[in-house]
Amino acid sequence: MGNPIMMKAFGYYEPGLETDIPPFQEVEVEKPKPTGKDLLVEVKAVSVNPTDWRSHLSKHPDDLSLTVPGRDVAGVVVDIGSDCNLFNIGDEVYYAGSNMRPGGHSEFHLVDERIVGRKPKNLDFAQAAALPLTSLTAGEAFYERLGISRNASDNEGKSMLIIGAAGGVGSIATQLAKLAGLKVIATASRPESVSWVKSNGADHVINHHQPFGPQLKDLGLAGVQYIFVLNHIDEHMDEMAEVILPQGKICSILPFEKPAELQKLFSKSVTLVWEMMFTRPMFQTDDMIEQHLLLNEITDLVDAGKIHTTMAERIEPINAANLLEAYRKSKSGTAIGKIVLEGFEN
């Protein structure tokens, strides 16, 4: 056997503290080979998500192994496993991957084809890399957890409050909610974030640092049928309980950080659900293919001009210094839309 083929990857060895940014370094690792249902993808662009830097914080103190993070990837299939039947070599793809495997901050990446979608033709690789994780999160939350119909006529007269609408998930969620025929009330607090959520189609914008009820009343709304909460669920719980309508539904993408007082939801028969888009790949559920189908649906919507990329910043190339800067911006809590990195240095 000859020497293994090596590739460039960016990761870290040390576990992190709450204030840390992952100490990225460039490493040489063996280029993987696909088996079974795996695709080998040549990585063209990646985007940054909070789950990427949270993986550093959650690393066990005794774990000094190499961690390569990075969920969102857009690239080209260069090899396929023996059981693959959804993609061919040369196909352009995008996906969010799995939190149980090495991430995509590397020149090549292995991913199960059942959680991969066709890259939109109308987007370049960087624009496409902004979408997978957030689109899967919003799509699963809407259509599966909250039971929202894709048919706009079914949702006539219904409203959704999106808390934290200027971030990555909120940016695509606003577009999908509008496409579903919902009236969207987005929360944002800074002029630039207010402008951003309006550009994604929000009907109204309220401030999440102020009580929701009076602000909704000023808009002529007694409450909302749906709430999609994307940050600080503990801080917003009382306000949500106040403005959710009887038999309404709330979906959160984050767990409670402390015991919650949910009694106020009882008399209204409110549904409270969670969405974690890694559930299917984490548990290898029988319906993993649903993520492939949902990403292809997003692709069709993009190519039809019905939704647009949520990329707000493009950084070149993919290297340790630029990843540090992108993670720092993401972790600041003030990032708008998605930060995307593309291309590797020769």
Side-chain angles (χ1 to χ4, degrees):
M1 296 179 64
N3 294 328
I5 300 174
M6 307 300 285
M7 69 173 184
K8 188 183 302 184
F10 297 95
Y12 51 85
Y13 294 92
E14 301 87 352
L17 302 174
E18 189 65 35
T19 55
D20 288 349
I21 301 297
F24 282 106
Q25 53 185 287
E26 180 180 326
V27 296
E28 290 284 317
V29 298
E30 186 172 350
K31 180 180 176 182
K33 296 180 180 179
T35 59
K37 291 186 175 297
D38 276 347
L39 308 173
L40 180 63
V41 176
E42 181 182 3
V43 177
K44 298 293 187 180
V46 299
S47 73
V48 176
N49 296 281
T51 184
D52 295 320
W53 48 261
R54 287 193 187 106
S55 67
H56 183 228
L57 302 181
S58 62
K59 189 168 183 173
H60 194 277
D62 297 331
D63 181 5
L64 298 179
S65 65
L66 176 66
T67 296
V68 178
R71 302 301 164 220
D72 280 329
V73 170
V76 179
V77 178
V78 294
D79 199 1
I80 61 175
S82 58
D83 297 332
C84 290
N85 54 31
L86 299 176
F87 295 97
N88 297 305
I89 293 173
D91 287 347
E92 297 183 349
V93 297
Y94 71 149
Y95 56 89
S98 167
N99 61 345
M100 305 299 288
R101 306 180 70 173
H105 292 352
S106 55
E107 292 182 290
F108 297 89
H109 187 232
L110 284 181
V111 62
D112 190 306
E113 69 168 358
R114 292 171 293 178
I115 57 174
V116 175
R118 292 180 285 105
K119 183 186 79 68
K121 291 184 174 66
N122 290 349
L123 301 181
D124 62 27
F125 286 105
Q127 293 168 328
L131 289 174
L133 185 146
T134 55
S135 296
L136 288 170
T137 299
E140 290 183 351
F142 286 8
Y143 311 134
E144 300 183 50
R145 315 302 176 219
L146 294 173
I148 296 171
S149 172
R150 289 169 168 83
N151 188 341
S153 62
D154 293 338
N155 300 315
E156 187 174 350
K158 295 180 181 179
S159 299
M160 170 178 282
L161 174 63
I162 300 178
I163 302 174
V169 177
S171 298
I172 191 64
T174 301
Q175 297 181 61
L176 293 179
K178 285 302 298 176
L179 204 59
L182 294 167
K183 177 179 287 187
V184 177
I185 301 92
T187 79
S189 59
R190 295 172 293 134
E192 57 269 36
S193 55
V194 170
S195 176
W196 176 261
V197 299
K198 286 182 176 178
S199 74
N200 289 318
D203 295 290
H204 304 287
V205 184
I206 65 174
N207 192 321
H208 41 246
H209 297 306
Q210 299 173 8
F212 296 161
Q215 295 182 84
L216 292 180
K217 186 177 181 180
D218 288 344
L219 300 174
L221 295 171
V224 294
Q225 284 83 8
Y226 302 104
I227 298 177
F228 193 26
V229 55
L230 307 177
N231 56 38
H232 307 301
I233 183 173
D234 301 83
E235 296 177 19
H236 298 305
M237 196 63 237
D238 287 344
E239 292 294 323
M240 291 192 295
E242 184 71 26
V243 301
I244 191 71
L245 291 172
Q247 302 181 84
K249 297 181 179 181
I250 299 171
C251 181
S252 174
I253 66 169
L254 292 170
F256 290 106
E257 295 181 2
K258 55 187 178 182
E261 176 53 66
L262 302 178
Q263 198 66 21
K264 293 180 181 179
L265 302 181
F266 175 74
S267 63
K268 292 183 177 179
S269 296
V270 169
T271 298
L272 175 60
V273 293
W274 275 266
E275 160 57 22
M276 182 181 180
M277 56 75 49
F278 290 128
T279 295
R280 283 179 162 123
M282 180 187 295
F283 293 98
Q284 294 286 294
T285 60
D286 292 339
D287 63 350
M288 279 175 62
I289 193 70
E290 291 298 324
Q291 294 203 336
H292 166 73
L293 298 175
L294 181 52
L295 285 173
N296 282 350
E297 179 182 343
I298 296 297
T299 290
D300 291 340
L301 291 173
V302 170
D303 286 339
K306 294 182 178 180
I307 59 175
H308 55 263
T309 183
T310 57
M311 182 181 72
E313 183 174 0
R314 183 194 301 253
I315 300 174
E316 300 178 73
I318 302 170
N319 61 26
N322 285 340
L323 283 167
L324 281 169
E325 179 61 20
Y327 275 56
R328 187 175 291 110
K329 289 179 178 179
S330 174
K331 198 169 185 293
S332 72
T334 60
I336 294 172
K338 293 297 292 292
I339 303 169
V340 182
L341 299 92
E342 68 175 330
F344 288 88
E345 295 172 305
N346 294 327

